[in-house]
Amino acid sequence: MFDFHARVPQEELNRRLAALREKLTATDPDWALAIFNHKISLYYLTGTMQEGVLTLTPDQAILWVRRSFQRAQTESALDDVRPMRSFRTLGEYFTDVPACVYLETKTATLDWLAMVRKYLPFDSWKPVTPLLNSLRAVKSEYEIECIRKAGTLIAEVTQTVLPQIVREGMSEAELCGAVYLELLRRGSMGVSRYNQPLGEEAGGYGGFGENTLIPAAFDGPDGCVGTCVAMQSIGSAARLLRCGDLILMDQPGGALGYHADKTVVYYYGRLTDDPRADTIREAYELCVRIEKWASAQLKPGAIPEQVYLQAVDMVPEKYQKGFMSGGKFLGHSIGLTMDESPVLAKSFREPMQEGMVFAVEPKIALDGIGMVGTENTYLVTPSGGQSLTGSILPLTELG
């Protein structure tokens, strides 16, 4: 049985901290102190998400917690967890502050930096995020098992449960809500996290027909009208399902902080009665072929940029404009956030490593019709990508 409330094993945390120290030393033999404050980083390195910081030195790792210290003690297997009144506590402990420290420069705000430097008066700082991201890019067996569980939940709900939920006249928001509830019932963590300032959402995208072509602020191929102007997610309560609609569900799910991602597309009604049937089928089958080909390339040593460019070459001219709806990628790494690195896109030339995980999502926008496409989450293995989210579905009629 999968324990959805299990804490991150101590040996897993020790391995991560040792690997990070090794990367820091290889980059900068004289490094003395790194400070982590982003909650996802804290979870990755300590196993808990509290208000506080982790200080890492070559021979010590201390989690300083403002709230909740009691919960941090319960959840974290880290050896050294201490209460913290304010950053003054750190200043009292670190009496010999190095001139330069490593910080999460992408997420540390100016206000946070000012508070820290008030009591830890270092002169300069260097970014630690690239080193941490390279470490997180290759998943351990523990992490892969979490992603696999998340993928199993998504596959069951989108492939088996969703077709039983769909009915004419239901809204996009109602369908997304029903899918979300089914995921929660099975243990999914109920939130999707992104490597963005406003980095969380409750559900994925759901849409019918032309609504899936409405671009969203997030850099993805499919669109969503959202629940309102201020929320470009879930779907509209006003757009109701009718015969002849394409149904797109771009659905993430999670287990113990780790995400998987899958997209399914269904046709509501009889596709043979639709005058656009040939175009819909042809575009969908092209996406299926691209995903099958691309997933087979996900082997150690493969170059992400080359996979992307060769996939683009597979797209006929008539679909070039709509392919990925103008987006410049084919897939993205996924783990503690939905949008990790590396990406199947230009400029990503570092060879893949076994244990990386990619969501591959070829999609085509069809003017006046909607978005078609596929998506599954794959583990990089010596024999090619291993799906963690079930199979690629044929274009299936519902209703």
Side-chain angles (χ1 to χ4, degrees):
M1 295 292 291
F2 190 89
D3 185 354
F4 287 96
H5 292 90
R7 69 179 189 172
V8 181
Q10 186 174 40
E11 58 269 25
E12 182 78 9
L13 298 179
N14 290 341
R15 181 193 62 79
R16 295 172 184 178
L17 290 168
L20 181 54
R21 285 192 177 102
E22 184 177 342
K23 283 184 176 291
L24 279 163
T25 301
T27 302
D28 180 1
D30 297 324
W31 79 279
L33 176 63
I35 305 175
F36 301 86
N37 71 310
H38 194 268
K39 284 185 169 56
I40 292 176
S41 300
L42 291 179
Y43 181 70
Y44 181 73
L45 295 171
T46 74
T48 189
M49 298 182 76
Q50 307 306 321
E51 182 66 29
V53 297
L54 170 71
T55 55
L56 184 70
T57 68
D59 56 7
Q60 195 174 38
I62 305 174
L63 174 60
W64 303 89
V65 181
R66 293 181 64 181
R67 180 178 176 87
S68 160
F69 177 64
Q70 181 179 8
R71 184 161 184 170
Q73 285 183 306
T74 301
E75 294 179 349
S76 178
L78 199 69
D79 287 330
D80 200 341
V81 181
R82 306 186 188 189
M84 171 179 122
R85 299 188 309 276
S86 69
F87 287 112
R88 183 189 298 274
T89 305
L90 272 66
E92 293 169 352
Y93 182 80
F94 291 100
T95 55
D96 185 16
V97 181
C100 181
V101 303
Y102 279 83
L103 302 176
E104 296 184 274
T105 53
K106 182 172 182 177
T107 54
T109 65
L110 292 175
D111 284 347
W112 181 87
L113 183 61
M115 285 190 295
V116 173
R117 293 184 73 196
K118 181 178 179 180
Y119 300 106
L120 296 176
F122 47 84
D123 297 325
S124 62
W125 54 89
K126 296 179 180 180
V128 73
T129 304
L131 301 178
L132 187 59
N133 286 347
S134 67
L135 182 62
R136 283 173 46 186
V138 180
K139 274 61 176 180
S140 67
E141 287 299 322
Y142 165 80
E143 293 177 290
I144 292 167
E145 192 56 34
C146 292
I147 299 172
R148 191 187 305 277
K149 183 60 180 179
T152 300
L153 297 177
I154 301 170
E156 180 180 351
V157 172
T158 58
Q159 295 181 196
T160 304
V161 179
L162 186 151
Q164 301 174 18
I165 295 173
V166 170
R167 58 175 176 76
E168 188 167 0
M170 75 183 316
S171 70
E172 293 174 338
E174 184 181 357
L175 177 59
C176 284
V179 168
Y180 181 69
L181 178 58
E182 292 298 331
L183 284 167
L184 288 179
R185 283 175 172 165
R186 288 160 174 78
S188 185
M189 65 186 183
V191 67
S192 302
R193 296 191 170 106
Y194 293 84
N195 193 21
Q196 310 278 341
L198 293 175
E200 292 189 353
E201 67 177 17
Y205 287 177
F208 307 148
E210 73 288 343
N211 271 11
T212 61
L213 302 177
I214 297 173
F218 181 72
D219 184 19
D222 42 44
C224 177
V225 69
T227 56
C228 64
V229 174
M231 173 52 70
Q232 300 177 12
S233 185
I234 301 175
S236 169
R239 177 57 165 91
L240 307 183
L241 182 63
R242 54 181 180 256
C243 187
D245 277 338
L246 284 169
I247 302 170
L248 180 142
M249 178 64 69
D250 189 342
Q251 184 61 58
L256 288 174
Y258 288 87
H259 302 79
D261 201 7
K262 183 179 179 72
T263 297
V264 294
V265 173
Y266 295 98
Y267 184 88
Y268 192 73
R270 288 174 54 85
L271 184 56
T272 52
D273 296 337
D274 195 318
R276 312 161 299 175
D278 290 344
T279 298
I280 294 172
R281 284 197 191 96
E282 182 182 51
Y284 188 85
E285 287 305 316
L286 175 60
C287 293
V288 170
R289 288 198 302 274
I290 292 175
E291 183 181 326
K292 287 181 177 179
W293 175 84
S295 63
Q297 312 311 306
L298 301 183
K299 301 176 182 180
I303 307 301
E305 180 185 63
Q306 293 179 4
V307 175
Y308 166 74
L309 292 175
Q310 291 179 60
V312 171
D313 286 342
M314 297 171 66
V315 181
E317 177 63 30
K318 64 180 177 179
Y319 292 129
Q320 282 284 344
K321 181 181 178 182
F323 183 63
M324 300 305 290
S325 198
K328 302 301 182 183
F329 72 100
L330 177 67
H332 53 90
S333 294
I334 189 168
L336 285 173
T337 62
M338 297 286 294
D339 52 340
E340 298 194 345
S341 187
V343 181
L344 300 180
K346 286 184 178 181
S347 301
F348 289 87
R349 302 185 180 98
E350 289 292 320
M352 294 181 194
Q353 299 180 54
E354 186 173 1
M356 288 183 170
V357 178
F358 290 89
V360 181
E361 54 172 327
K363 292 169 182 172
I364 297 174
L366 300 175
D367 288 343
I369 300 175
M371 185 73 63
V372 296
T374 61
E375 180 183 19
N376 282 288
T377 300
Y378 292 92
L379 172 66
V380 175
T381 78
S383 57
Q386 178 189 112
S387 178
L388 304 178
T389 50
S391 58
I392 304 174
L393 296 179
L395 184 56
T396 304
E397 297 174 347
L398 300 178

